Each structure stands twice: as structure tokens, then as C-alpha cells.
Amino acid sequence: EAGVTQFPSHSVIEKGQTVTLRCDPISGHDNLYWYRRVMGKEIKFLLHFVKESKQDESGMPNNRFLAERTGGTYSTLKVQPAELEDSGVYFCASSSRMNTEAFFGQGTRLTVV
Amino acid sequence: AQSVTQLDSHVSVSEGTPVLLRCNYSSSYSPSLFWYVQHPNKGLQLLLKYTSAATLVKGINGFEAEFKKSETSFHLTKPSAHMSDAAEYFCVVIFTGGGNKLTFGTGTQLKVEL
């Protein structure tokens, strides 16, 4: 069974540019989460999808961040325009409807210069 | 306020000696508790989870953790450390009423020396 896949693994962009991160959850998992770890800080929740609906987006830092999950399959997280403080590792996780165990991807390391 | 605290940011042990990574949480209700591990350049992997069954939980790679409600703790232990255990460990909590949102501790970097 394929795990959670994130793309790209690394991204270096200039301040003001746009970046889109992608997450492919485990097939059949209704729940999809985005988390972020900024350098030196703890991993923090960004948002939670149940299928294609946003269940909880209380962790999204500001309106420069836009997450989508079209058709309830893969998800994208777009940052536009990127700022220096957006640098960090972005993790995606998925879980099934009946299980709290979340499976994580390897993360996307975003560097804004 | 609900929170999770990992008391040590770095722990160093010798190979073959016991490992103790400490975690405390603050909550009015019994939460769901997890330990995740992240090896260098790898994703987060679930080590074990507590969901109100047995208070002593056994996980992968010889790790276990004990839920102590009176102390609001969920410390991670292993009797004998191996070089391959060197990684960052996260205590993670799902608080009651928080949906399935994971709240992470700040992480403990485990170093294993020969």
C-alpha cells in the first residue's frame, strides 16, 4: 500500500513568488491534514479536510495560504505571495474515518529567500 | 489550557542503556496520546498510541509508554538503546473536543553513543 506522498520534497523560492505544495493521501482516507514546522519551533496544525470539505482551518496563519482538496483525493497548499517567515517543513497526514492514527508524508521543505 | 510538554529537548545515552523521554500534558479530560519518531530525512512514524485501554502501551522497536493519569504523564521508555534509535521523538496529543487535530510537543532529540 502506498503511503502519503508529498511533492516537491524541497522548494526554494524568492520572497513574493508563489509556491504550491501537493499531498496525495493514502487511498480511501477521508481525513487529510496539513501541519507546519517552522525552524526551531514545534509542529503546528494548519487545517483538516474531511473528503473535500474543510473541517477545521483554525491553524492557517493568514490569507496568503490557500488549501484545496478537489474531489476529496489529493490536496494542494498554495502560498501566495510567499514571505520569509513561511520557510519551514510542511507535513501532510491522512487517516481513515474510523481511526485516529495519522500517517505522515516525508514533508516538503520550503525555503523563502 | 490544554498543552503538551516534552521536558527535555536533547537526551544522550550510551548504546545498551535505558532510554527515558518525558512527556506531560495538561487537560481536564483523558486525551488520546501518541509518540511519533522522525529519523533524518524521513517522515513521521507512529511508535505507539494510548486510547484508554491498557495504561502500559507497547510500540514498535521495543519502545513502550505508560499513561499515568494522576501525574498527567506519558513517558516513553526502552530498556536498551540501539544506535538506530537516534532520531527526534514527538509526544502528540488529541485533546477531547479537538476533533482529530494533533497537538505536538516540541520534540526530543535522542543521541545514542557507542
Side-chain angles (χ1 to χ4, degrees), chain B residues 63-109:
Chain B
F63 283 94
E64 59 183 38
E66 185 172 8
F67 171 65
K68 290 188 177 179
K69 186 174 181 179
S70 60
E71 299 176 8
T72 60
S73 69
F74 190 58
H75 301 334
L76 182 70
T77 60
K78 182 173 181 178
S80 176
H82 191 271
M83 294 297 289
S84 61
D85 295 328
E88 189 164 20
Y89 292 78
F90 296 93
C91 182
V92 182
V93 180
I94 294 178
F95 291 107
T96 304
N100 283 340
K101 179 168 66 178
L102 302 178
T103 300
F104 283 77
T106 48
T108 298
Q109 196 74 238

Side-chain angles (χ1 to χ4, degrees), chain A residues 2-3 23 30 44 46 52 70-71 76 78 81 84 95 104 107 111:
Chain A
C23 170
D30 288 344
K44 287 202 167 177
L46 293 178
E52 67 275 9
T70 307
T76 57
K78 183 163 72 173
L84 298 178
S95 67
F104 282 81
T111 304

Side-chain angles (χ1 to χ4, degrees), chain A residues 6-105:
Chain A
Q6 291 187 246
F7 181 83
S9 56
H10 294 82
S11 180
V12 181
I13 62 170
E14 292 185 352
K15 176 182 170 181
Q17 288 187 321
T18 297
V19 63
T20 300
L21 313 181
R22 174 171 169 143
C23 170
D24 286 75
I26 291 173
S27 178
H29 279 188
D30 288 344
N31 294 302
L32 187 150
Y33 309 84
W34 284 98
Y35 291 84
R36 176 175 77 166
R37 189 179 199 187
V38 171
M39 181 75 74
K41 301 285 183 69
E42 66 267 35
I43 299 171
K44 287 202 167 177
F45 168 83
L46 293 178
L47 88 159
H48 170 204
F49 283 100
V50 177
K51 296 186 179 179
E52 67 275 9
S53 300
K54 291 176 185 173
Q55 182 76 13
D56 181 353
E57 51 184 332
S58 60
M60 294 288 263
N62 52 60
N63 59 10
R64 295 185 293 102
F65 289 75
L66 175 64
E68 294 180 324
R69 192 181 182 193
T70 307
T73 54
Y74 71 90
S75 174
T76 57
L77 179 64
K78 183 163 72 173
V79 185
Q80 178 183 33
E83 298 289 344
L84 298 178
E85 64 264 25
D86 300 332
S87 296
V89 181
Y90 290 76
F91 293 100
C92 175
S94 72
S95 67
S96 66
R97 202 179 334 152
M98 303 305 294
N99 196 334
T100 56
E101 178 179 347
F103 295 84
F104 282 81

